[in-house]
């Protein structure tokens, strides 16, 4: 849950920097084309994947240090 919040915050900042817009397009919004929606979704998915991997890796390393396993 924390990872999702972190990923969401990072995505919002990346999208704002990349597009100059405050909000990313919603998939159901008529005011955006396919290209912009799919690019936003790909960026969001990549960021979520990286954040999840970082959190999982950190947790695994912490458990290994604590238990030696």
């Amino acid at each position: 849950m924390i990872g999702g919040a972190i990923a969401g915050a990072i995505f919002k900042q990346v999208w704002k920097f990349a597009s100059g817009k405050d909000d990313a397009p919603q998939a159901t919004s008529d005011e955006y084309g396919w290209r912009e929606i799919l690019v936003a979704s790909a960026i969001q998915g990549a960021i979520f994947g990286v954040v999840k991997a970082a959190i999982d890796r950190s947790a695994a390393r912490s458990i290994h240090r604590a238990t030696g396993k």
Side-chain angles (χ1 to χ4, degrees):
M1 201 158 68
I2 293 170
I6 292 169
I10 293 170
F11 171 69
K12 186 171 183 169
Q13 293 303 314
V14 168
W15 185 257
K16 187 184 293 186
F17 176 77
S19 70
K21 298 177 183 175
D22 287 336
D23 295 322
Q26 298 296 315
T28 56
S29 178
D30 287 338
E31 61 188 85
Y32 299 99
W34 277 94
R35 184 177 186 169
E36 195 168 21
I37 289 171
L38 294 178
V39 167
S41 295
I43 292 169
Q44 187 175 28
I47 290 170
F48 179 78
V50 168
V51 169
K52 183 179 181 323
I55 290 171
D56 289 349
R57 180 68 177 165
S58 294
R61 289 186 58 99
S62 296
I63 290 170
H64 178 70
R65 277 192 296 251
T67 65
K69 296 182 180 184

